[in-house]
Amino acid sequence: MSQSTDPASPAASPGASPATSPAVSPAGQIAAGYAFTGPALDLGALLWDGACLPEHQIRIPLAMLNRHGLVAGATGTGKTKTLQLIAEQLSANGVPVFLADIKGDVSGISAPGAANEKIGERAKDVAQEWEGAGFPSEFYSLGGIGPGIPLRSTVTSFGPVLMSKVLQLNQTQEQSLGLIFHYADTKGLELIDLKDLRAVVAFLVSDQGKAELKGIGGLSTVTAGVILRALTAFEQQGAAEFFGEPEFDTSEFLRTAADGRGLVSVLELPAVQDKPQLFSTFLMWLLADLYTDLPEVGDLEKPKLVFFFDEAHLLFNGASKAFLEAITQTVRLIRSKGVGVFFVTQTPKDVPADVLAQLGNRVQHALRAFTPDDAKALKATVKTFPNSAYDLEELLTQLGTGEAVITVLSENGAPTPVAATRLRAPQSLMGPIDAAALDRAVKSSLLYSRYAEPVDRESAYEKISAEQAAAEAQAEAAAAAAEAEKQAKAAAKAAPKPDPSLAEQVVGSGLFRSLARSIGTQLGREISRSIFGTARRRR
């Protein structure tokens, strides 16, 4: 936290020049905290005492953009244009950027802006030499819904924690889903798409699979049934499109254009605005996948990628403890892999304290105080800033569109003085490009042929279906054999006996049987005597 910058005091804040003298004005003291020597992005001109001071420029060091940040403000205050302004300058400095386009108006970053009176006035106010320019861009969509190169994830890669978030499972159900993933992994059942996961869960609650369910431990039939119903409902909402192969390689976001400028990756989300839980969680998967794949690089002169996470409050709403811990760990550690993350939302209170503590750069647009809840949020926002020469509670309700309160990390890692700023105008088109141009940009991409067509290879669904079909065929064959044997016995019992032959009639007669007994008895006696050594009595 920085020290107080009192307008009547010459004391410098951390990040200000040590040579600050008592004669320097309060505005000069604030501006001195932004006089960086290394490469920096130009955000705008200082606002002080109701005037814009173009001689005092507010900037952010390029090397500090991997220390993460927050862009906040009420709807309509200019957050999207701030993202566009920062993304343009990052691209110009050779840094790739990822942007989520919620409303469909960020695609204009690929086309030069057109000069007009408002842009001219803004450029003059902030001493900006404005010239229209477009920036190299790639456009993506979730699962091919809407325009863009399809982004897909396998269910295995997505993992049980993120899947629990989109299925809105409670903590117990989340733990159970983790056991199901573990079972599938140990049995070699690849979870590629949602039907694979549904097949595994359905198998575990079936008569055939209940024995397997007992072997997992801690997973009840009831909980498995709840998960199965949640999956079925999720699939019926059209979410199956987002899971499958080919899985997107997030290293594609780290590319630069042939001229050395960073590629701006724009994820077009207007077509899935009605699935906020899904797209916000999918953004987290992209970030987590980058974290997993990238090597440790420490502090760099410039980031390898800056990731703007729009509508961040959707990510944290209803999040489980495990989910929040995973986000916090990812944000804390991904900095050392050269990736900066900016969360974009309405107020800082939308972001959990453990995550907010990791965000070193702040751009706060205007807030409204129309209701008691608004007033409470305003006070909470003011408390998240370093001590300031401004009355922030009053200032934040009076900022105009395209104005913000800023504090960033200086080149030595100390927070700069809080600075009210009139922001520069983006050089690219501030609005969407037309649909035909967007479609051409997508189809002409080298990545389109790699990811456009889905692939459905053998995985858990097919393996379980084949095993069940084989088991059913075996059971049917056994049942058929048993039935055939039963019918054969019944037929043999019911068949008429043939008439006996002459010999059988003689042998079977009573006279023959009596004679046979008599002969047998006499013969038996003779044999017995012979055996036991008794002699035949003479007559």
Side-chain angles (χ1 to χ4, degrees):
M1 303 290 279
S2 69
Q3 299 172 351
S4 175
T5 306
D6 189 338
S9 170
S13 297
S17 169
T20 302
S21 68
V24 177
S25 66
Q29 291 182 36
I30 294 172
Y34 295 86
F36 310 123
T37 57
L41 309 187
D42 295 312
L43 299 179
L46 180 68
L47 289 169
W48 180 258
D49 199 21
C52 183
L53 308 176
E55 68 275 15
H56 295 318
Q57 291 291 308
I58 304 304
R59 310 164 77 218
I60 179 170
L62 188 59
M64 290 294 110
L65 281 159
N66 71 331
R67 302 298 180 92
H68 311 319
L70 176 73
V71 179
T75 302
T77 56
K79 296 192 299 294
T80 302
K81 300 302 176 282
T82 298
L83 303 188
Q84 199 166 338
L85 172 67
I86 297 174
E88 289 176 354
Q89 295 188 63
L90 285 168
S91 175
N93 280 277
V95 178
V97 178
F98 175 90
L99 291 171
D101 187 7
I102 306 294
K103 299 186 292 292
D105 54 1
V106 180
S107 60
I109 198 168
S110 63
N116 58 40
E117 186 177 346
K118 286 186 177 180
I119 289 176
E121 290 177 359
R122 177 60 62 102
K124 182 180 179 181
D125 284 347
V126 300
Q128 177 185 9
E129 295 181 4
W130 190 90
E131 183 179 351
F135 295 83
S137 304
E138 291 272 24
F139 299 97
Y140 301 94
S141 64
L142 284 188
I145 297 181
I149 300 162
L151 296 186
R152 300 184 188 89
S153 164
T154 64
V155 170
T156 295
S157 179
F158 207 69
V161 174
L162 292 177
M163 186 62 71
S164 297
K165 179 70 165 62
V166 296
L167 294 178
Q168 300 182 42
L169 303 181
N170 62 32
Q171 186 174 352
T172 300
Q173 293 159 357
E174 179 181 323
Q175 293 169 350
S176 297
L177 186 61
L179 290 173
I180 293 170
F181 270 70
H182 176 70
Y183 170 80
D185 185 49
T186 56
K187 296 294 183 180
L189 299 171
E190 297 92 341
L191 302 178
I192 303 298
D193 50 28
L194 287 182
K195 72 177 185 295
D196 290 325
L197 181 55
R198 183 163 46 81
V200 171
V201 181
F203 170 73
L204 289 173
V205 297
S206 68
D207 293 338
Q208 185 180 353
K210 282 182 179 178
E212 300 283 336
L213 191 66
K214 292 178 181 178
I216 295 177
L219 178 61
S220 70
T221 304
V222 174
T223 300
V226 171
I227 294 171
L228 183 61
R229 289 192 294 274
L231 273 171
T232 302
F234 190 51
E235 230 175 348
Q236 289 173 346
Q237 294 169 12
E241 298 288 338
F242 309 118
F243 298 95
E245 290 182 322
E247 184 178 66
F248 185 74
D249 183 354
T250 51
S251 66
E252 305 284 10
F253 294 147
L254 305 178
R255 295 177 297 141
T256 56
D259 60 4
R261 290 184 296 172
L263 203 62
V264 181
S265 298
V266 182
L267 178 58
E268 294 293 331
L269 295 172
V272 292
Q273 285 189 71
D274 59 335
K275 299 177 178 65
Q277 287 279 355
L278 178 63
F279 73 67
S280 62
T281 311
F282 203 95
L283 291 178
M284 192 62 221
W285 171 77
L286 295 175
L287 196 58
D289 193 67
L290 282 166
Y291 165 70
T292 302
D293 292 346
L294 291 175
E296 294 281 340
V297 294
D299 289 326
L300 302 173
E301 292 183 357
K302 62 182 180 182
K304 297 175 70 173
L305 172 73
V306 175
F307 193 104
F308 288 93
F309 206 122
D310 205 354
E311 299 292 342
H313 65 283
L314 298 172
L315 181 69
F316 302 111
N317 284 349
S320 68
K321 181 180 179 182
F323 186 75
L324 290 176
E325 287 175 351
I327 294 174
T328 304
Q329 181 185 27
T330 302
V331 172
R332 181 183 295 120
L333 299 180
I334 202 169
R335 176 192 66 80
S336 62
K337 299 194 174 189
V339 177
V341 183
F342 275 71
F343 290 97
V344 186
T345 188
Q346 294 198 0
T347 71
K349 72 181 184 67
D350 293 334
V351 181
D354 287 345
V355 177
L356 191 63
Q358 308 298 318
L359 311 182
N361 304 296
R362 299 278 301 278
V363 180
Q364 176 68 58
H365 288 268
L367 291 174
R368 309 303 179 210
F370 298 140
T371 68
D373 285 343
D374 290 342
K376 185 177 179 181
L378 175 62
K379 290 181 182 293
T381 299
V382 170
K383 290 179 181 178
T384 64
F385 276 91
N387 293 332
S388 169
Y390 299 93
D391 180 349
L392 288 180
E393 194 168 331
E394 180 181 355
L395 176 62
L396 285 172
T397 61
Q398 295 178 350
L399 291 171
T401 301
E403 296 177 347
V405 170
I406 294 174
T407 179
V408 301
L409 293 181
S410 67
E411 291 169 310
N412 62 8
T416 59
V418 175
T421 307
R422 181 163 295 164
L423 297 165
R424 292 184 167 217
Q427 293 178 275
S428 55
L429 181 65
M430 288 188 277
I433 57 175
D434 64 75
L438 180 57
D439 186 65
R440 286 194 301 271
V442 172
K443 299 290 178 60
S444 63
S445 170
L446 296 176
L447 301 182
Y448 185 76
S449 60
R450 190 180 307 171
Y451 295 107
E453 291 299 322
V455 176
D456 189 12
R457 64 181 175 90
E458 184 186 60
S459 49
Y461 173 79
E462 287 78 13
K463 290 180 179 180
I464 289 175
S465 296
E467 288 180 4
Q468 288 178 332
E472 288 173 4
Q474 186 177 1
E476 287 176 2
E483 181 63 25
E485 184 179 357
K486 180 180 178 182
Q487 290 179 358
K489 288 180 178 179
K493 188 179 292 186
K497 293 182 179 179
D499 294 334
S501 63
L502 179 60
E504 289 173 334
Q505 291 177 19
V506 171
V507 171
S509 67
L511 178 62
F512 183 84
R513 287 196 298 272
S514 176
L515 179 62
R517 280 197 299 272
S518 176
I519 295 172
T521 301
Q522 185 176 354
L523 180 61
R525 288 182 186 139
E526 292 294 330
I527 293 173
S528 298
R529 292 188 186 109
S530 174
I531 292 173
F532 288 104
T534 56
R536 181 181 268 184
R537 186 177 299 174
R538 294 179 180 272
R539 291 188 180 184

